Amino acid sequence: MKSKYIFITLFLALVASVATTPAAHAQVENEKQSQEIVTLFRAARKVISDNQAHINDATKGDKGLSAAAVVQKTKENFQNDLKRSVDDTPADSPTGLANAALLTAVGEVMTDAQVLINEQGKGFKGFLPAVFARQVAEKFNTGMNGRAFIKLTAPRDLLRNRSNRTDEWESSQIETKFRAAGWEHGKPVTEETTSKGRQAFRYLLPEYYGQSCLSCHGGTKGEIDITGGTKEGAKLGELGGAISFAIYLD
Ligand code: HEC
């Protein structure tokens, strides 16, 4: 009897070890890393959107949004979202290294932005969540030195800044999945494919317009918004863009 159970246990252990091949394991790890870095990226951008009125306040000088303060608030937003600290991720793991590169980028962008955002007597300064996100992405991508990249992007018909334009893969995921009837709200796509001609694990998360977005992206199509850009005439809840993350596998 007893040996029969031992046999079954061994058999189940063998099945389990075959089920988690190195490739499947890598897939799970890459997905976890993507979720974590995209959560951190959004956590950082939320600091800027939460403080938009404050940043635009002409009566105030120092906004108290130093590099250290924004990194700290980013970590708090991450904790609220994932219910654990970003510092719990082992610092020397691939995810830990990517997190550190992202937080470094956040700090650098805020250091560079101090003169602009602390200018007294000036209201709207053009320092928006999307602008901040683009600058953070650029610095993160430089810091990762070809091992990964992140980008805030948008469908071609909604694009404001050409630097944020989609590549073929992003565009096709947006059009055939995110914009397809019945696509589950907020569901990302992941795929092992190519990016810039290299083998990569890719992750794309859809984002939708909330009420606060419509003063610029909503209204009547063609009207001019506070930034001097052209309103898209979007409606509440419509797909507004996506966050794209890639881990290079070569
Ligand atoms: C004050 C006006 C304003 C508001 C409010 C605003 N945006 Fe934007 N958005 C812009 C501008 C300007 C850009 C171009 C930024 C740049 O230069 O990278 C932009 C860029 C973007 C992009 C990047 C792709 C592109 O078109 O270049 C996305 C995605 C986006 N916005 C979504 C949103 C969402 C979602 C919200 C609400 C949570 C929002 N925006 C709120 C003005 C605004």
Side-chain angles (χ1 to χ4, degrees), residues 128 130 134 153-154 158-161 164 212-213 216-217 226-227:
L128 303 170
R134 173 166 50 79
T153 189
L158 299 178
L159 190 69
R160 292 273 182 129
N161 188 320
N164 300 327
S212 72
C213 318
C216 293
H217 294 287
I226 185 179
T227 74

Side-chain angles (χ1 to χ4, degrees), residues 45 49 52 56 124 126-135 138 151-165 207-217 225-230 232 238-243:
R45 187 184 53 182
S49 44
Q52 189 71 73
N56 293 352
F124 183 69
F127 195 70
L128 303 170
V131 170
F132 167 80
R134 173 166 50 79
Q135 294 175 354
E138 278 165 10
K151 156 176 142 198
L152 174 65
T153 189
R156 288 179 181 162
D157 54 309
L158 299 178
L159 190 69
R160 292 273 182 129
N161 188 320
R162 238 184 88 76
S163 335
N164 300 327
R165 69 190 179 279
E207 293 199 305
Y208 307 88
Y209 291 124
Q211 197 59 52
S212 72
C213 318
L214 299 181
S215 59
C216 293
H217 294 287
D225 70 22
I226 185 179
T227 74
T230 309
E232 286 84 358
E238 278 178 3
L239 182 84
I243 298 177

Side-chain angles (χ1 to χ4, degrees), residues 39-40 42-44 46-47 50-51 65 68-87 103:
T39 301
L40 197 59
R42 300 183 80 205
K46 185 171 190 302
V47 179
D50 287 348
N51 283 282
L65 293 171
V70 173
V71 166
Q72 182 52 35
K73 286 181 206 289
T74 297
K75 289 183 173 187
E76 286 165 20
N77 289 342
F78 179 98
Q79 170 112 34
N80 283 336
D81 202 351
L82 292 194
K83 308 296 170 220
R84 69 172 181 85
S85 167
V86 68
D87 295 324
L103 291 172

Side-chain angles (χ1 to χ4, degrees), residues 20-178:
T20 51
T21 57
H25 181 73
Q27 162 86 15
V28 170
E29 280 309 306
N30 290 338
E31 218 165 302
K32 263 174 62 183
Q33 180 179 156
S34 306
Q35 272 163 8
E36 188 156 332
I37 209 77
V38 167
T39 301
L40 197 59
F41 186 65
R42 300 183 80 205
R45 187 184 53 182
K46 185 171 190 302
V47 179
I48 305 308
S49 44
D50 287 348
N51 283 282
Q52 189 71 73
H54 179 56
I55 291 170
N56 293 352
D57 187 344
T59 68
K60 293 208 182 72
D62 186 1
K63 305 298 185 300
L65 293 171
S66 65
V70 173
V71 166
Q72 182 52 35
K73 286 181 206 289
T74 297
K75 289 183 173 187
E76 286 165 20
N77 289 342
F78 179 98
Q79 170 112 34
N80 283 336
D81 202 351
L82 292 194
K83 308 296 170 220
R84 69 172 181 85
S85 167
V86 68
D87 295 324
D88 292 345
T89 304
D92 54 357
S93 65
T95 305
L97 293 169
N99 289 347
L102 195 89
L103 291 172
T104 300
V106 167
E108 286 174 2
V109 169
M110 290 320 296
T111 299
D112 291 352
Q114 290 306 301
V115 173
L116 173 69
I117 67 172
N118 293 335
E119 185 181 342
Q120 204 167 2
K122 185 173 180 179
F124 183 69
K125 303 167 184 72
F127 195 70
L128 303 170
V131 170
F132 167 80
R134 173 166 50 79
Q135 294 175 354
V136 168
E138 278 165 10
K139 290 197 190 293
F140 172 81
N141 297 340
T142 305
M144 291 304 287
N145 197 18
R147 284 169 291 144
F149 91 78
I150 199 162
K151 156 176 142 198
L152 174 65
T153 189
R156 288 179 181 162
D157 54 309
L158 299 178
L159 190 69
R160 292 273 182 129
N161 188 320
R162 238 184 88 76
S163 335
N164 300 327
R165 69 190 179 279
T166 50
D167 68 9
E168 279 306 319
W169 182 81
E170 290 157 343
S171 182
S172 106
Q173 303 308 309
I174 288 174
E175 299 308 332
T176 65
K177 293 183 178 156
F178 297 165

